[in-house]
Amino acid sequence: MAENMTDIKSVEEKCKKLWEKEGVYRFNPKTKKKIYSIDTPPPTVSGRMHIGHAFSYSQSDFIARFMRMNGNEVFYPFGTDDNGLPTERLVEKSKGVKSKDMPREEFIKMCMNFLKEELPVFVQDWKNIGISCDWNLRYSTIDDESRKISQWSFLDLYKKKRVYRKDAPAMWCPECRTGVAQVEVQDKEINSFFNDIIFKIGKENVKVATTRPELLPACVAVFYHPEDERYKKYKGKNARVPLFNFEVPVKEDKRVDRKKGTGIVMCCTFGDQTDMEWQKAYNLPIKMAISANGKMTSIAGKYSDKNIKEARKEIIEDLKNAGLLTSSVPIKHFVNVHERCGTEIEFVKSKQWFVKYLDLKSDLLKWGKELNWHPEFMKHRYDNWVKGLQWDWLISNQRYFGVPFPIWYCKDCDEVILAKENQLPVEPTMDKLPVSKCPKCNSKNIIPETDVLNTWFTSSMSPQLATRSVKDESLKKKLFPMSLRPQAHEIISFWLFNTMVKSRLHFGKNPWKDVAISGFVTLKGEKMSKSKGNVISPQEVLEKYGADALRYWAASSKLGEDFDYQEKDLVTGKKLVTKLLNASRFIFMNLDGYKGEKPKKLEPLDDLFLKRLNSIVKSSTENFSSYEYSKAKSDIENFFWKDFCDNYLELIKKRIYKGEKDKKLSAQYTLHKSLLIILKLFAPIIPFITEEIYQEHYRKNEKINSIHLTEWPEFEKEKDSSDFDLLINNLSFIRQEKSKRHIPLNAPIKQFTTPDSKIILKNYKEDFESASGAESINQGNFHTQFAEDNA
RNA sequence: GGUCCUAUAGUCCAACGGCUAAGAUAUCUCGUUUACACCGAGAAGACCAAGGUUCGAUUCCUUGUAGGACCACCA
């Protein structure tokens, strides 16, 4: 059996093969059991599994495995999110290409081929840590079935009037050349200059501070605060924009911060969100200085066609030369960047599709309340996100690789033409039109939508993606809403939220009953991230300590709690695995010839120990049921190591070596039985080693193919087992005395006096004597008398 | 700026308002016993601060301090 890493590796390989061959985790659609269904968010295919994945997916797996053993038929599919922008970026990076430089079709092909190669490697990491998904229920968010569901979702929302297309300023990434949703935007601190630029109002010079002088050609007004005494006199006047030499109105607005810059701000459509609010509020003209490809537009005059940074530099230079720049101070400030590529976000006016949900805020709060949150406080994150929503959900991306919109437009009257449901999945750029002419104007001039749906639009259908292979309607009903959504907390605001939106809009139901939110792994208190360079590779941990140790480590942290990574926790996990092996070896060494027979009468100590075990089964069952796997883990571990190995085994050692027939049998029976129960309790956390021991010693008798398919141990009403503590107290006293006097722990004691002598002598005399070395036990205060004390 | 989480031995963490504050790891001492030195026994070591509620607070409340996260703003 396994004693070192090579053996642990071979145990892992053996188990993985067995599980696959025997279909241990396969969902049985014909089951009579209660169904427990899990909607794990499919991980994004971008490089390898990281430690946060290992942490959070292990935690879900503890629950899945417990539920499976505890009488449920577990529906636990595995998906990969390999759709859209993240995959495009990954392919572009690893193949050194740019999607926009090649034909659409060719790039899509390249992505698909890339995924075909990478997916098995990617998924293998999850198998390696022992995730007990049904690997036959695999799905990818870009495959045909998922496209179908995603496109159906769009058609359904269209019919429900929940999607709309609008020409609107939308957040735009000039690098990716696509619209960007609120959730895809991040903060980034950048170095910039705060420039004081001279505008002319009448004959006076007025300084306006800006970090973005390249937007001067798009200036439509300047604002000051209505209570700012410095500028009140300019009310109603016009200001002349430097270099570009046109006039804009001077206006007052409370949104101006008097303390910032010079207290006068220029409003350019579309510099930032406030600019857009002002544009709307004062009905200002719309001027676009930046185009969709990140270049200056024609209104920038001689700067047109230059990219943003060049234009900024040249304009600053020209202002300086004209004496219109009074100061230029370097500052650090935060800007919005596209999280996928780090490029600064611009606002560009274009036609985009949106899902309308701003009107549902109060409903969304109500629906969020209906979920059972574990831990409860994570609900706040959801609530905060909902309350802070300002935009409808932008779902169109101007990209190649993704699920296409299932629509065409009439070029003459702009009518939207929907695909037929039985056409799905559809590729409008290639597939046949559902109509021969525009139903509204009879034009034959029909063009396909070339945009693709945003990744989240598809992945927010995860309950439907997960259950898509189930065709039986009555079974489907049992699977949805799903029992559990496990996930990490940083994706509450989009994945969980968007899935809620879709589920309610399509089906009028919550997508799940329970939500279990994992914390994340920190290193010295900080979140691990590639950019900080403080990442731990789970593959290396696995190599060094094995999957059980990794899972043991993940089980040390409660749901929702961040957990600081310490290598020594892995060491502890590995030690536990070794200890289990050693204890099993000892037990089966002494079970030679034992055939599972029951003694006529249990020895009092054995009976006492089984009572103890019963109470651990009870508490672990309760803890696992309420997703408190970390509590269960530490209880079981403590019981196994302290009560079972250090004390019970010591107490019965002599009896099992050379006890009388029935007394020995009683110990053998107890050992055989309790080890199996302990293995079962540990099985959800450390599935490999428990399986190994089970296969070797129990499978033949139990006649069940895998420990993970055996029934969770039952428990009875709790019974008094306080004698066990009493025995340990007495042993402990003796050990302490021996330790104080530097006497070997197995040394005999001439006489031991204890206040508990009656109980010990009545029921546990021989076992206690053999473990303590006491030659006689008498009533009295705690005292030990050794042979040499006689002198 | 808003919201949330956390604060306990060197480190990582646990504990219905009530006995000596648990465990892991590191440290020190002892032990080589027919499973295990990846072991056993023992020792030493901690409740962020100030108020409040209470017979009693590490635990509940308030404020502060520190760390972290999410969101918003950022001319």
Side-chain angles (χ1 to χ4, degrees):
Chain A
M1 249 194 274
E3 270 164 7
N4 54 45
M5 269 325 285
T6 350
D7 292 335
I8 287 181
K9 283 267 153 272
S10 77
V11 166
E12 287 178 6
E13 288 310 314
K14 222 160 62 183
C15 289
K16 279 185 279 185
K17 267 191 201 133
L18 173 92
W19 296 337
E20 192 154 347
K21 196 178 119 224
E22 313 252 8
V24 168
Y25 308 124
R26 198 162 297 163
F27 174 71
N28 173 16
K30 297 200 178 91
T31 186
K32 297 238 160 59
K33 292 183 196 167
K34 219 176 120 197
I35 291 178
Y36 188 85
S37 51
I38 305 175
D39 174 32
T40 319
T44 307
V45 181
S46 57
R48 300 286 297 271
M49 177 177 81
H50 59 74
I51 195 93
H53 282 134
F55 184 69
S56 134
Y57 283 79
S58 293
Q59 295 179 347
S60 320
D61 196 57
F62 305 147
I63 297 167
R65 286 181 182 273
F66 166 73
M67 289 296 173
R68 189 180 294 116
M69 290 173 81
N70 200 29
N72 297 281
E73 184 70 32
V74 171
F75 182 81
Y76 191 16
F78 190 87
T80 47
D81 194 15
D82 31 28
N83 167 13
L85 255 178
T87 306
E88 281 201 16
R89 299 210 68 90
L90 186 64
V91 170
E92 287 181 339
K93 211 172 127 199
S94 44
K95 300 278 177 195
V97 296
K98 281 261 174 218
S99 63
K100 299 277 167 178
D101 297 341
M102 56 203 295
R104 180 186 181 110
E105 235 177 291
E106 195 180 313
F107 184 72
I108 291 175
K109 212 174 198 176
M110 195 178 224
C111 289
M112 292 309 270
N113 285 338
F114 179 84
L115 286 174
K116 214 168 163 188
E117 283 166 33
E118 290 300 312
L119 274 184
V121 184
F122 184 70
V123 170
Q124 189 59 40
D125 279 340
W126 270 264
K127 293 186 177 172
N128 287 346
I129 60 168
I131 299 301
S132 66
C133 289
D134 181 345
W135 299 98
N136 291 321
L137 298 173
R138 269 284 305 282
Y139 67 90
S140 131
T141 53
I142 192 65
D143 62 22
D144 280 354
E145 280 289 300
S146 296
R147 286 168 190 259
K148 197 171 158 180
I149 290 168
S150 182
Q151 292 182 332
W152 170 84
S153 166
F154 180 85
L155 295 180
D156 191 52
L157 293 179
Y158 187 92
K159 286 165 195 163
K160 291 188 160 111
K161 298 199 179 356
R162 274 289 163 190
V163 285
Y164 64 90
R165 188 173 184 231
K166 201 175 136 195
D167 201 10
M171 286 185 273
W172 182 270
C173 173
E175 165 69 22
C176 298
R177 298 181 205 175
T178 180
V180 173
Q182 189 174 348
V183 73
E184 297 175 292
V185 171
Q186 262 180 357
D187 280 358
K188 190 177 160 192
E189 193 171 29
I190 59 152
N191 291 311
S192 182
F193 288 92
F194 210 29
N195 306 292
D196 284 352
I197 295 172
I198 293 177
F199 279 52
K200 280 236 183 305
I201 302 178
K203 285 190 179 144
E204 292 183 53
N205 285 344
V206 178
K207 280 188 259 175
V208 175
T210 181
T211 54
R212 304 207 53 190
E214 74 277 13
L215 292 179
L216 280 172
C219 183
V220 287
V222 297
F223 284 91
Y224 64 89
H225 193 276
E227 279 155 41
D228 196 329
E229 296 298 335
R230 293 173 291 177
Y231 303 120
K232 271 187 167 174
K233 55 183 172 186
Y234 300 129
K235 190 174 178 181
K237 298 198 167 152
N238 283 334
R240 183 159 285 275
V241 178
L243 292 188
F244 295 90
N245 229 7
F246 58 87
E247 290 207 333
V248 295
V250 182
K251 294 185 173 290
E252 49 179 42
D253 191 278
K254 285 203 296 274
R255 275 166 278 203
V256 177
D257 182 347
R258 276 177 279 178
K259 293 191 194 83
K260 203 160 209 164
T262 57
I264 282 209
V265 53
M266 64 177 194
C267 167
C268 311
T269 53
F270 304 102
D272 65 18
Q273 204 160 319
T274 320
D275 289 349
M276 279 181 292
E277 287 173 24
W278 280 330
Q279 186 273 323
K280 253 190 191 163
Y282 299 101
N283 201 18
L284 297 165
I286 289 175
K287 287 172 98 179
M288 304 252 304
I290 293 165
S291 70
N293 57 13
K295 303 241 196 279
M296 303 305 293
T297 61
S298 58
I299 64 164
K302 69 178 226 197
Y303 311 102
S304 63
D305 275 337
K306 299 211 151 72
N307 75 34
I308 301 168
K309 277 186 186 148
E310 280 167 10
R312 184 182 303 172
K313 214 174 134 194
E314 286 182 23
I315 288 176
I316 287 179
E317 206 51 41
D318 291 346
L319 284 168
K320 209 185 274 170
N321 293 337
L324 295 166
L325 182 75
T326 61
S327 82
S328 184
V329 187
I331 53 159
K332 278 185 178 220
H333 71 150
F334 284 92
V335 295
N336 286 330
V337 297
H338 187 202
E339 63 158 352
R340 310 267 194 213
C341 65
T343 309
E344 288 174 49
I345 294 293
E346 299 295 339
F347 289 90
V348 167
K349 199 170 139 184
S350 60
K351 266 201 168 170
Q352 304 278 356
W353 283 95
F354 296 85
V355 173
K356 183 175 148 197
Y357 58 33
L358 281 181
D359 57 321
L360 296 176
K361 279 192 183 188
S362 62
D363 291 307
L364 283 161
L365 291 174
K366 198 179 80 198
W367 299 330
K369 217 168 149 186
E370 289 169 16
L371 293 170
N372 301 315
W373 293 83
H374 300 270
E376 197 135 8
F377 67 77
M378 285 294 177
K379 183 174 147 332
H380 294 301
R381 310 238 172 151
Y382 173 91
D383 289 350
N384 276 338
W385 174 257
V386 174
K387 285 176 194 158
L389 283 174
Q390 300 195 34
W391 299 70
D392 276 334
W393 181 9
L394 179 129
I395 54 164
S396 43
N397 279 168
Q398 291 67 44
R399 300 294 300 187
Y400 287 170
F401 189 63
V403 178
F405 280 78
I407 50 174
W408 292 259
Y409 306 106
C410 169
K411 212 173 174 181
D412 293 328
C413 73
D414 213 24
E415 173 77 355
V416 174
I417 297 161
L418 301 180
K420 300 249 184 296
E421 257 185 56
N422 59 17
Q423 257 189 300
L424 305 182
V426 72
E427 179 69 63
T429 52
M430 297 166 70
D431 292 353
K432 232 180 92 192
L433 285 165
V435 291
S436 54
K437 53 187 185 184
C438 172
K440 200 168 151 194
C441 72
N442 288 329
S443 160
K444 292 205 168 175
N445 207 355
I446 291 171
I447 50 164
E449 169 63 275
T450 54
D451 284 3
V452 297
L453 290 156
N454 182 277
T455 323
W456 297 109
F457 189 81
T458 307
S459 36
S460 57
M461 297 299 285
S462 64
Q464 285 66 46
L465 301 178
T467 57
R468 64 190 203 178
S469 62
V470 177
K471 302 294 172 208
D472 175 354
E473 282 306 314
S474 74
L475 178 59
K476 213 158 192 159
K477 261 188 196 149
K478 287 187 202 159
L479 288 170
F480 182 81
M482 297 184 80
S483 315
L484 176 71
R485 166 53 163 259
Q487 63 161 70
H489 58 70
E490 75 265 27
I491 52 175
I492 290 176
S493 47
F494 30 122
W495 209 322
L496 188 148
F497 167 76
N498 286 338
T499 310
M500 173 65 94
V501 168
K502 285 287 199 84
S503 183
R504 297 302 311 204
L505 290 182
H506 287 305
F507 311 107
K509 278 186 198 168
N510 274 8
W512 329 278
K513 294 184 194 103
D514 294 357
V515 176
I517 308 287
S518 297
F520 45 58
V521 184
T522 58
L523 198 59
K524 297 192 171 88
E526 282 189 34
K527 185 177 174 177
M528 285 190 192
S529 74
K530 272 190 201 152
S531 57
K532 283 184 201 152
N534 60 346
V535 286
I536 300 288
S537 134
Q539 292 80 12
E540 278 169 33
V541 173
L542 212 59
E543 190 56 40
K544 203 162 166 195
Y545 299 102
D548 280 335
L550 178 82
R551 296 171 60 104
Y552 170 92
W553 163 80
S556 310
S557 164
K558 291 189 279 198
L559 275 179
E561 295 289 320
D562 295 349
F563 189 47
D564 216 60
Y565 178 85
Q566 293 204 110
E567 189 155 9
K568 50 193 170 196
D569 289 333
L570 274 307
V571 177
T572 315
K574 201 174 154 202
K575 279 187 188 174
L576 174 68
V577 171
T578 311
K579 187 82 176 176
L580 262 171
L581 277 168
N582 281 320
S584 307
R585 181 202 287 160
F586 170 75
I587 288 166
F588 284 96
M589 249 165 48
N590 291 294
L591 249 46
D592 208 24
Y594 175 73
K595 301 238 164 40
E597 58 275 53
K598 232 177 154 170
K600 284 192 196 81
K601 192 176 149 279
L602 266 183
E603 284 293 298
L605 178 68
D606 300 335
D607 184 55
L608 182 63
F609 178 73
L610 289 175
K611 279 180 191 154
R612 253 301 141 96
L613 179 59
N614 181 66
S615 72
I616 284 294
V617 172
K618 183 169 183 279
S619 69
S620 312
T621 310
E622 288 162 358
N623 284 325
F624 269 121
S625 301
S626 54
Y627 303 151
E628 311 241 22
Y629 52 80
S630 65
K631 184 90 178 51
K633 186 216 83 170
S634 73
D635 286 352
I636 300 161
E637 183 185 17
N638 208 33
F639 175 80
F640 164 69
W641 204 297
K642 293 288 164 194
D643 289 357
F644 186 65
C645 294
D646 294 345
N647 289 301
Y648 178 71
L649 289 186
E650 291 304 320
L651 281 162
I652 59 148
K653 248 179 185 170
K654 294 263 165 61
R655 176 146 58 90
I656 201 138
Y657 293 150
K658 46 197 175 193
E660 288 161 40
K661 212 178 162 206
D662 219 46
K663 289 191 173 170
K664 178 171 175 169
L665 188 64
S666 171
Q668 287 182 314
Y669 167 81
T670 310
L671 284 179
H672 187 81
K673 179 175 170 163
S674 54
L675 178 65
L676 179 59
I677 291 176
I678 288 169
L679 289 175
K680 285 185 180 184
L681 296 179
F682 267 134
I685 312 276
I686 43 178
F688 292 95
I689 198 63
T690 48
E691 181 76 292
E692 166 76 5
I693 299 168
Y694 175 86
Q695 293 292 333
E696 190 119 334
H697 299 293
Y698 287 101
R699 179 169 175 174
K700 225 165 127 192
N701 282 339
E702 299 294 315
K703 300 202 171 56
I704 294 192
N705 295 353
S706 162
I707 190 170
H708 304 296
L709 295 175
T710 59
E711 270 178 43
W712 189 253
E714 289 182 6
F715 58 89
E716 300 163 3
K717 217 178 113 194
E718 232 165 319
K719 288 175 200 150
D720 178 33
S721 62
S722 56
D723 279 4
F724 200 79
D725 296 316
L726 180 145
L727 287 173
I728 291 172
N729 279 344
N730 279 273
L731 278 178
S732 187
F733 174 79
I734 290 170
R735 286 166 178 161
Q736 211 166 325
E737 287 297 303
K738 287 178 174 174
S739 192
K740 260 186 220 159
R741 298 175 176 216
H742 300 177
I743 294 170
L745 290 175
N746 62 343
I749 306 165
K750 207 126 196 258
Q751 196 178 69
F752 174 52
T753 56
T754 164
D756 306 317
S757 70
K758 276 180 196 151
I759 299 168
I760 294 175
L761 288 171
K762 189 180 169 212
N763 285 323
Y764 318 109
K765 182 167 181 286
E766 286 165 40
D767 291 329
F768 187 84
E769 283 174 354
S770 82
S772 64
E775 289 170 353
S776 79
I777 299 169
N778 296 298
Q779 181 74 17
N781 291 332
F782 278 122
H783 182 70
T784 47
Q785 193 191 339
F786 296 93
E788 65 265 28
D789 293 346
N790 281 348

